[in-house]
């Protein structure tokens, strides 16, 4: 592997940490989705599947920048501790809030100090998507905590994930362009994906 320039070393270290975090989040949310279906919270399962796809997109974007800077993307996937769906949602929300409030702001600041636009972009896109996940997890927690079986957390539903940056939306018509990466929802680079009952059956 080529020698990594000194000015890129910290940025690559941060990218690797983010890559590992997003890769583990993907595995965690896939497991949480299966548990949510077992628990009868099919809407929450749809949300977990959408978020898992978003985390996979974030990991891929981070990996691409790591290679551009001369590094190699690798990580370990931890064993997932699956509990009841309400607890799984709280675990997921805590992880998202950490990334939103602490991890990504610090990584963006460091990358900005070295004017590394590719790293700034992949970190910023991921952080913006995590904000939507945190909002949706918060909604789902409130619904399940209140036992509202007639709300969206109970029934399978569609979510839409930007294929370029992982931004997650409840509706493809919510925004003409992705709020995170500014690409059109219907463009080949930013297409919508559904994560409702059709996806779950695949």
């Amino acid at each position: 592997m080529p020698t990594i320039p000194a000015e890129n070393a910290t940025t690559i270290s941060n990218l690797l940490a983010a890559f590992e975090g997003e890769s583990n989040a993907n595995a965690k949310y896939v497991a949480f989705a299966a548990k949510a279906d077992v628990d009868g919270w099919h809407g929450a399962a749809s949300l977990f599947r959408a978020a898992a796809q978003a985390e996979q997109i974030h990991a891929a974007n981070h990996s691409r920048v790591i290679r551009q800077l001369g590094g190699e993307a690798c990580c370990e996937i931890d064993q997932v501790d699956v509990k009841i769906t309400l607890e799984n949602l709280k675990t997921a929300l805590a992880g998202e809030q950490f990334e939103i409030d602490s991890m990504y702001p610090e990584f963006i600041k460091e990358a900005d100090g070295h004017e590394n636009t590719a790293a700034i972009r992949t970190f910023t896109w991921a952080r913006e998507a995590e904000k939507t996940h945190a909002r949706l997890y918060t909604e789902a927690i409130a619904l399940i905590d209140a036992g509202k079986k007639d709300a969206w957390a109970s029934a399978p539903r569609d979510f839409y994930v930007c294929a370029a940056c992982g931004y997650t939306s409840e509706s493809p018509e919510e925004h003409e362009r992705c709020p995170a990466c500014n690409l059109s929802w219907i463009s080949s680079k930013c297409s919508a994906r559904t994560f409702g009952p059709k996806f779950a059956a695949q």
Side-chain angles (χ1 to χ4, degrees):
M1 187 173 69
T3 302
I4 297 172
E7 63 270 19
N8 291 341
T10 301
T11 302
I12 289 176
S13 177
N14 290 342
L15 283 162
L16 286 168
F19 174 75
E20 181 164 314
E22 301 290 5
S23 298
N24 274 280
N26 169 267
K28 186 181 299 181
Y29 294 166
V30 168
F32 287 176
K35 176 58 174 171
D37 274 329
V38 171
D39 289 349
W41 294 107
H42 303 295
S46 299
L47 173 57
F48 277 132
R49 291 188 183 95
Q53 176 64 14
E55 310 300 8
Q56 187 174 41
I57 291 168
H58 300 161
N61 288 343
H62 295 340
S63 175
R64 190 176 304 111
V65 180
I66 290 169
R67 293 194 300 272
Q68 289 173 359
L69 297 180
E72 181 179 350
C74 58
C75 70
E76 292 186 5
I77 302 300
D78 301 326
Q79 184 174 348
V80 179
D81 182 17
V82 179
K83 300 178 181 178
I84 62 172
T85 295
L86 181 60
E87 294 304 316
N88 292 339
L89 283 164
K90 291 178 179 179
T91 296
L93 177 59
E96 301 289 355
Q97 287 298 157
F98 167 73
E99 293 183 349
I100 294 165
D101 298 336
S102 301
M103 188 182 82
Y104 279 125
E106 292 176 8
F107 290 177
I108 291 167
K109 182 179 179 180
E110 190 281 330
D112 186 57
H114 289 94
E115 298 182 345
N116 194 315
T117 56
I120 294 169
R121 181 172 57 248
T122 191
F123 289 149
T124 301
W125 283 2
R127 183 171 185 249
E128 291 306 307
E130 309 302 16
K131 291 178 182 178
T132 66
H133 297 163
R135 174 178 60 81
L136 291 166
Y137 285 147
T138 298
E139 290 180 14
I141 288 168
L143 292 172
I144 294 177
D145 200 30
K148 294 187 176 181
K149 282 287 188 178
D150 58 343
W152 70 258
S154 178
R157 64 169 298 175
D158 288 344
F159 288 93
Y160 301 83
V161 178
C162 173
C165 71
Y167 181 88
T168 306
S169 172
E170 300 98 308
S171 168
E173 291 82 27
E174 180 183 3
H175 307 282
E176 181 179 347
R177 307 186 73 83
C178 174
C181 68
N182 201 40
L183 292 177
S184 170
W185 277 110
I186 61 174
S187 74
S188 60
K189 292 183 179 179
C190 194
S191 57
R193 293 286 305 277
T194 60
F195 293 86
K198 292 181 180 178
F199 180 86
Q202 292 177 356

